[in-house]
Amino acid sequence: MTQAPERTSDQDDLPPVPEGHVRLTIDDRIVDAPQGELLIRTCERLGIVVPRFCDHPLLDPAGACRQCLVEVEMGGRKMPKPQASCTMTVAQDMVVNTQMTSAVADKAQQGVMELLLINHPLDCPICDKGGECPLQNQAMSSGRAESRFVEEKRTFAKPLPISDEVLLDRERCVLCQRCTRFSRQIAGDQFIELLERGAHQQIGTEETAFGEGEDFQSYFSGNTIQICPVGALTSASYRFRSRPFDLVSTPGVSEHDASGASVRRDWRRGTVTRVLAGDDPEVNEEWIDDKTRFAFRYTQAADRLLRPMVRGDDGELTETSWTEALERAAQLLVAARDGQGPEDEDGHRKQGVGVLPGGRVTVEDGYAYAKFARLALRTNDVDARARVGSDEELDFLGTRVAGTGPDHVSFGALEEAPAVLCVALEPEEEAPIVFLRLRKAARTGTAVHHLSQWSTPAVVKTGGRLVRCAPGDEVAALGTLPDAVAAGLAQPGAVVLVGERAAEVPGLYAAVADLGARTGAKVAWIPRRAGERGALDAGALPTVLPGGAPVADAGARAALASSWGLPDAAGLPADAGRDLGEILRATADGELAGLVVGGVALDDLPDPDLARRALEAADVVVSLEQRRSEVTDRADVVLPVAPVINKAGSFRNWEGRDRHFTTTIDPSGGSAGRVGGTAATTLPDCRVLDTLAVEMDVDLFTQTPQATAAEFARVADALAGHRTRDAANALFAASRRSASPPAEEQHVETHAPALRLATWRQLLDGGALMAGEPELAGTARPPKFRVSTQTALRLGIAQDDPAELEGPRGSLILPVEIADLPDDVVWAPARVPHPDGRVVTLAGLGLAHGGPARLTGGSRASERSSS
Amino acid sequence: MGMFDGVAGFGVTFSTMFRKVVTEDYPRVKKVTAPRYHGRHQLNRHPDGLEKCVGCELCAWACPADAIYVEGGDNTDEERYSPGERYGAIYQINYLRCIGCGLCIEACPTRSLTMTNEYELADDDRQDLIYDKERLLAPLLPGMEQPPHPMRLGEDEQDYYVQGPEMARRPDVQDQVREEVPMVPPREPAPQDGVSGTAVEQSSVTSTGEKR
Ligand code: SF4
Ligand code: SF4
Ligand code: SF4
Ligand code: FES
């Protein structure tokens, strides 16, 4: 920014005012500022701090608190009263005097501060904001030392819960309206409002005002706590936990979704006490969702694994040393890999080991899994997708996604796009930071279209342009998009966002690619889990080599072999790999002898029963886990691995941007890393795999995340030339094993005519990372079925009545809500946490998106829901 | 060398024989400290036995030796330790670190933390020199009740704070930091009344002379 030096005696000496700028004087300094800039920002650039409460760079100006008063002179005449510098824009030849040079401004600020403090309770010693409070600081810098107020202060009942997670203390509020403006402008949730008038003016919700009504229900409510300039909004989970001055703050990256939001983790004595939004204008700006903010206690859960365990002859897992556990795991894996296991009756020996890293791996860990599978286990049977996937998806990812970076589609590109179409993606539930950007874009004119089944909150809050279709009919719907949508996508800069759920609809990925080709819109892929994108580029998929080249490309294999220091490509498996479903089926059928499993929750898999059978049938299961799970319960060797707070690494977000983070709490740092009194010496997956490989006589060179990252960068460079952008390229198709066997016929009894099921996961549905967070769980959207009015009438179900959804393997009872779905379609959340701790997944019930399902209401369901 | 040189060397010895002895019969006879001597800390109680500490950590913040560790907790209607919303759930003072400066006392907004004249702070075990809340809490005086219990002296914490000084002057209300208390701590440890830990002087002297 141009900034002229000190005022000279002759103003004509100054350079001309740049285009689009104005020249003004602030505190006797001449400055050029872009037209339309707020005075308070210009002052900031000059290093003059004007006290403020309501002003926030990402919110529209409000002028609510009046703390930022300065004296302004226009055209040689002083304005009669001091002006709010956060609402006034700069103008040519303006003369501004802040509290630094104007006694009037200083006195005005002191007066405002005195008024703000009249009803402030001054309970700083018990206030969570104490020590990092703008009101405390500015009362010292711009307030009077003595209070003249001797009367009794206004009091309110406190604290007032406005949701399970957010507590309101109305006495402390300075009515700056940051919280209400955030909710209205950024998140689009209109549940917190300014109520009453005069001395009784207060922040509240429908519930606080009328004693009943809706809570402050929002996936982004935690941001209001962070931006509240006083301690009026506090979080129930951080309440009284610590004070800012005894916290160590470490910057980090969110492990909860594929956006890689920047966060700040505050910790004390080896325990994370809170997570705050970091400031990254390119990614999450200054906002994060509540799951990222509040779900962090899973690392302190009682079932955290801290020591390696080996299953003894008695069938029990017992803790042992790393040396012994790794030796045992290596021995078992070598036997399984080479088919030296026991023979069955037919003289058949199982052979081979499949690798399932799970979708939450860092780039480094994903690379280590990919390399471990190919070198130590000599197979391409590795798949990081712990969800429904398809061959078509592998082709799409390999040709269109692998190796792309933020220059393809980024958060910034979304904001600038004239039109965005979301396909198989429910942004608020599956990628909340993307949702915030889409909403911001929608506010400045981007047309956001959603190919979906009903007007979800995300559709409404991003401008409400729904292209409705029945579940499973998405491909046809893309072919016959309304002209307005197609025309919008044809504009330069338009974007199509496709979610991982596209794999659930055959042909959808191809249709999306085709739409991109037809309209010229850029296509970006947004998975749900943090590690999926990194795992793709790192080659933790059956058809993709590290760097994103196809397995079937002999040249790519040769290049990879030489960067891995192998004599020739013969050392690398050339056969096509199995994907998740095939690995599980092959293990269950007794073809594969073993499994190496990372962070995979069986309930999340498309067929949990198949996975259970596979784990039962496998000769060898080696589990790398953070906490006890169904997999560790069946594993022969359990190797504890470090959660993100105990390791360094990076996530590659959906844009392809590397989001590096350092260790928050060093597990080897003596008492600092102790969990429940035990030194938690857990290591990152890449280190564990490296040592395990050494036991198998293979060197992975992935001892540390840093070394792994350096090697991965080198390998990715070496293979970049072998990446293909040609969707018609046969190499990816050739990398596949064969067409997957057709899904088993699903038989639904037809007492009632079957509906078609639409489903996806909600953000807060009791996933593994939400353990130990009752307050967060309390802010989840209540799980409900949704049907159209017609369908409800036909089935005889009324709003809020319980109904039963039946699948081949069980049923689920939830209340029904009427929504604008197509007729004969029922929407259900894909995963429902049961109050008793169990989870019910639609996959577990044998139900899938686009498939048939049966919904019954009336007395039967009510009976069963009450029993 | 003169002939008295050998005797002269004893000059100091002989002259000292006629002075008052400086040795003390400690520990049989305990030394009485100056009234404002900075001894072991004490966490005081309200007259009904509720704790004054609100777990604000200001003492820990003020401490130049980083000797204090506090974690706050949330009072509930079922389980109340102090009037108001917040109490000190964990409170520790590490006497291996404490330099007895008294800055913590100055910082305490509720006058919960004061210092007694007790100076016997030596031990043969490091762990034992980290005093926890149980050992620091003042003993229950007659009329006091072991928390958790509801507020007995008013509707909310304001009643405790606003009427506190008033109450402290009433002869029928017990208070540990009253001005007119005997300057010399009694020799015998007081009965413990359910408060476990080491010997705690029943009445004690505030070591900052500030008027409440
Ligand atoms: S609650 Fe906080 S953010 Fe909201 S108006 Fe009051 S002071 Fe401002
Ligand atoms: S007396 Fe001084 S050193 Fe001891 S705890 Fe208090 S502040 Fe710390
Ligand atoms: S003793 Fe006083 S300063 Fe220390 S935490 Fe308790 S109330 Fe706060
Ligand atoms: S900061 Fe300008 S009025 Fe609030």
Side-chain angles (χ1 to χ4, degrees), chain A residues 173-302:
Chain A
C173 174
V174 294
L175 298 171
C176 69
Q177 300 173 41
R178 275 190 184 183
C179 53
T180 56
R181 281 181 296 149
F182 170 82
S183 304
R184 207 173 319 116
Q185 294 165 17
I186 309 293
D189 302 310
Q190 308 192 6
F191 288 110
I192 182 164
E193 270 307 336
L194 199 58
L195 314 171
E196 309 284 359
R197 307 213 129 236
H200 292 285
Q201 200 166 47
Q202 55 178 277
I203 292 294
T205 60
E206 202 181 345
E207 194 178 3
T208 67
F210 305 117
E212 62 181 55
E214 298 201 57
D215 265 5
F216 179 38
Q217 207 281 334
S218 168
Y219 284 162
F220 305 96
S221 63
N223 293 301
T224 61
I225 299 173
Q226 190 171 344
I227 60 173
C228 178
V230 296
L233 294 172
T234 52
S235 109
S237 64
Y238 176 67
R239 189 169 158 82
F240 304 157
R241 279 297 134 80
S242 63
R243 312 236 95 193
F245 45 81
D246 44 40
L247 295 175
V248 183
S249 300
T250 314
V253 174
S254 166
E255 73 272 37
H256 290 282
D257 60 42
S259 295
S262 128
V263 298
R264 184 183 116 191
R265 298 199 176 88
D266 283 357
W267 55 279
R268 176 188 199 188
R269 288 200 159 190
T271 312
V272 176
T273 55
R274 63 174 175 181
V275 176
L276 298 177
D279 181 3
D280 192 332
E282 308 224 289
V283 178
N284 58 318
E285 303 197 293
E286 293 178 33
W287 319 121
I288 52 175
D289 56 285
D290 285 357
K291 189 175 183 187
T292 297
R293 184 180 300 269
F294 295 122
F296 56 82
R297 288 200 207 120
Y298 65 93
T299 59
Q300 301 150 26

Side-chain angles (χ1 to χ4, degrees), chain B residues 78-130:
Chain B
E78 298 79 48
E79 205 175 337
R80 170 171 296 289
Y81 292 90
S82 73
E85 295 172 54
R86 179 168 174 155
Y87 75 102
I90 299 180
Y91 196 101
Q92 296 170 348
I93 296 184
N94 182 345
Y95 284 105
L96 293 158
R97 303 195 72 135
C98 176
I99 55 170
C101 64
L103 291 180
C104 46
I105 309 300
E106 309 259 346
C108 182
T110 60
R111 222 130 146 69
S112 160
L113 195 65
T114 53
M115 277 168 142
T116 65
N117 286 352
E118 190 193 325
Y119 50 80
E120 290 180 320
L121 292 167
D123 211 316
D124 54 7
D125 184 351
R126 289 171 167 268
Q127 202 58 43
D128 288 348
L129 278 163
I130 300 173

Side-chain angles (χ1 to χ4, degrees), chain A residues 421-445:
Chain A
L421 172 66
C422 298
V423 179
L425 175 72
E426 178 57 32
E428 199 180 9
E429 308 279 8
E430 296 173 306
I433 305 297
V434 175
F435 163 78
L436 288 184
R437 258 328 154 94
L438 288 177
R439 189 175 145 76
K440 186 175 182 194
R443 271 169 50 90
T444 54

Side-chain angles (χ1 to χ4, degrees), chain A residues 551-572:
Chain A
V551 163
D553 182 346
R557 288 204 308 277
L560 182 62
S562 84
S563 18
W564 278 353
L566 305 178
D568 56 55
L572 285 178

Side-chain angles (χ1 to χ4, degrees), chain A residues 2 94 99 142 206 218 229 262 309 320 341 365 515 534 648 655 671 707 762 765 826 830 849:
Chain A
T2 35
M94 198 182 228
Q99 75 278 12
S142 328
E206 202 181 345
S218 168
S262 128
M309 292 190 286
T320 174
D365 292 344
L515 177 71
E655 303 167 285
S671 64
Q762 292 183 314
D765 59 2
V826 55
H849 183 85

